[in-house]
Amino acid sequence: MGIPAFAVPSSGKTRAEHDAEMIGLLREHEVDLVCLAGYMRIVTPEFVRAFPERILNIHPSLLPAFPGLDAQQQALDYGAKVAGCTVHFVDEAVDHGVIVLQRTVEVKDGDTVESLSERILEQEHLAYLRPLRGAEW
């Protein structure tokens, strides 16, 4: 599709070194919006400040409930009747920031982490595209 793609390995680098390299590459290519999906790394405050209110993330829970890892297991352990996903702007806290939209998924009797995760992932695919359509950054 003619979209440049780059891999920036993090192995052997500190988080700050890796994020500085990412900031440089993103600025070099005049990126207006950073979209995290499956990134699974906490970005540094410097990264957040480099792209204020321009970093989107998606998380498999209805934030502020169940931040961090294993959100689906957290929901099941808590006994939640509704789960889902959240698209939000990233700030300096983990899985925190202004919520753009949320989509819900019923937690069914007998759900496993796998079955619940599968239904949430379907909603994540729909939810993450919505704020990008027609967005002017």
Side-chain angles (χ1 to χ4, degrees), residues 8-109:
V8 181
S10 61
S11 181
K13 300 174 190 168
T14 67
R15 183 173 295 150
E17 291 168 337
H18 181 260
D19 280 8
E21 187 174 348
M22 293 286 294
I23 291 166
L25 188 60
L26 293 168
R27 283 183 172 160
E28 177 184 334
H29 290 276
E30 300 177 346
V31 169
D32 293 322
L33 181 67
V34 177
C35 300
L36 305 177
Y39 191 61
M40 303 303 291
R41 287 178 58 94
I42 298 171
V43 295
T44 59
E46 292 76 22
F47 192 92
V48 174
R49 286 192 293 269
F51 303 97
E53 298 180 15
R54 294 186 295 134
I55 306 171
L56 275 181
N57 187 37
I58 189 152
H59 183 74
S61 79
L62 298 173
L63 293 173
F66 315 125
L69 298 174
D70 304 317
Q72 300 90 332
Q73 184 66 59
Q74 290 182 61
L76 291 172
D77 290 348
Y78 189 79
K81 300 300 180 195
V82 177
C85 60
T86 302
V87 177
H88 65 98
F89 283 106
V90 173
D91 64 16
E92 293 184 19
V94 175
D95 294 327
H96 186 268
V98 174
I99 293 172
V100 177
L101 69 90
Q102 295 180 307
R103 293 183 68 99
T104 60
V105 170
E106 177 187 1
V107 178
K108 298 178 180 179
D109 291 340

